[in-house]
Amino acid sequence: MQDTRCKMQDIIESEKVKGHLTAKFIGSEIFLFDKVESTNDTAKDLAIKDCNEGAVVIADSQSKGRGRLGRRWESPSGAGIYLSIILKPKNIMPQLTLVGGVSVAEAIQHICAGLVSLKWPNDININGKKAGGILTEGISKGKIVIVGIGINVNTELSMFTNELKDKATSIMIETGKRVDRNLLIAELLNRFEYWYKRFTKGDEIITEWKGFSNTVGRRISVNVGDKTFDGIAEMLNNDGSLMIRLDNGSLKKITAGEVCY
Ligand code: BT5
């Protein structure tokens, strides 16, 4: 495991990322931009024009970074990791968000030992606050999947809008350490390739994901559209969906939603 700490303001450089890559196809092509609207949209454009599986789009900042349901993803420059991985899986795989989550958690766990957790379905938390998120989108009838990953790395509290100041955090805010984004990107892509290969060979990702998660076993509220379900998160299915034991005793399967606890 490499020491990803740094003292200086870091600049993302493809060659520096590649210098630390052990992954063979994830990151084999890197498209690096100073600023894009959304790396997921740039990745979609590239994927439609044709590029290899594993190509990665990285930007230092985004003007229209997105979360799920069109929500905004704050993406200040010089601070975070905003990247999208282009995949061409043989089958439709709803668990790719979980593959992304485990890869991010593993890449940052040595910096934030004991502080990083995953919240179903797509949040990366540090010390219980949101420090990252994953946006998985399919195009071409699911033949191409874009896994978009945002991580607040050297983000300072003053860089967040007021709306986020209480609920968002970064690696630096929680640990006091600046991190070299080049090394962290490489580590993340290395971990992603490892899990993606295992996963596409048929291994499950649920056990590793649960190892980082405190969602299962908790009392939660889940918002799905305009409905709210209250109960205990009972288990994760192999397809990545969540089973919640509702207060009326029945079991409800949730495939997408907003979990609060
Ligand atoms: C997510 O959505 O958590 C997925 C975020 C994915 C961002 C990456 S960056 C690279 C790629 N390109 C993109 O355009 N997107 C992906 P969701 O679960 O819907 O959470 C969105 C909510 O998180 C917002 O409504 C805010 O409340 C909060 N939020 C926004 N920016 C944040 C930030 N930088 N850190 C923490 N929370 C944030």
Side-chain angles (χ1 to χ4, degrees):
M1 192 72 70
Q2 301 169 33
D3 187 355
T4 48
R5 283 169 292 180
C6 75
K7 292 194 178 63
M8 306 292 289
Q9 172 86 351
D10 66 305
I11 293 170
I12 302 175
E13 292 172 47
S14 302
E15 288 315 308
K16 280 198 183 162
V17 173
K18 283 188 175 162
H20 298 283
L21 266 185
T22 51
K24 295 284 179 292
F25 68 99
I26 301 289
S28 56
E29 280 181 289
I30 292 179
F31 299 91
L32 176 63
F33 299 88
D34 196 31
K35 188 174 198 166
V36 295
E37 290 194 341
S38 155
T39 56
N40 268 31
D41 292 342
T42 307
K44 281 182 196 171
D45 291 345
L46 284 164
I48 287 165
K49 281 185 204 139
D50 199 27
C51 63
N52 293 328
E53 177 169 62
V56 177
V57 174
I58 307 173
D60 179 60
S61 70
Q62 301 181 112
S63 56
K64 291 187 185 162
R66 286 187 281 115
R68 293 172 302 154
L69 306 171
R71 287 183 284 233
R72 201 165 100 87
W73 186 256
E74 296 189 10
S75 314
S77 89
I81 290 176
Y82 319 110
L83 65 77
S84 300
I85 304 170
I86 296 168
L87 300 171
K88 300 182 177 178
K90 295 209 168 55
N91 306 307
I92 293 181
M93 298 175 165
Q95 305 93 329
L96 286 174
T97 298
L98 306 185
V99 172
V102 168
S103 307
V104 174
E106 286 190 345
I108 65 177
Q109 70 174 339
H110 68 291
I111 314 168
C112 315
L115 302 179
V116 58
S117 64
L118 297 173
K119 183 175 156 207
W120 190 88
N122 68 324
D123 283 1
I124 291 118
N125 286 356
I126 302 180
N127 248 343
K129 290 185 175 179
K130 186 152 170 164
I134 297 175
L135 176 67
T136 304
E137 297 179 307
I139 51 171
S140 304
K141 296 186 179 144
K143 289 197 183 99
I144 299 174
V145 176
I146 311 291
V147 179
I149 298 175
I151 312 173
N152 304 326
V153 182
N154 298 320
T155 321
E156 293 167 25
L157 207 53
S158 60
M159 293 174 171
F160 293 125
T161 58
N162 285 340
E163 184 219 326
L164 284 193
K165 282 194 170 45
D166 287 341
K167 54 184 186 184
T169 194
S170 72
I171 294 175
M172 195 182 67
I173 292 169
E174 296 302 326
T175 65
K177 294 172 195 160
R178 288 194 76 84
V179 169
D180 182 340
R181 288 179 294 164
N182 296 291
L183 292 178
L184 191 52
I185 290 168
E187 189 67 30
L188 165 58
L189 300 181
N190 291 339
R191 298 316 299 157
F192 192 93
E193 177 165 298
Y194 173 80
W195 285 114
Y196 182 65
K197 270 162 100 177
R198 276 195 53 179
F199 181 64
T200 47
K201 274 185 202 144
D203 288 351
E204 291 299 340
I205 190 77
I206 299 292
T207 309
E208 280 73 23
W209 192 91
K210 278 199 281 198
F212 283 107
S213 176
N214 46 21
T215 300
V216 174
R218 283 184 94 121
R219 179 160 189 86
I220 59 170
S221 283
V222 194
N223 297 321
V224 183
D226 54 3
K227 292 201 175 112
T228 302
F229 300 99
D230 294 306
I232 306 289
E234 198 158 288
M235 65 174 279
L236 272 179
N237 296 317
N238 283 344
D239 66 2
S241 57
L242 182 70
M243 302 302 287
I244 168 169
R245 179 70 61 183
L246 300 177
D247 291 343
N248 67 12
S250 66
L251 204 53
K252 169 102 188 147
K253 179 176 173 172
I254 312 272
T255 50
E258 201 66 41
V259 172
C260 305
Y261 48 75

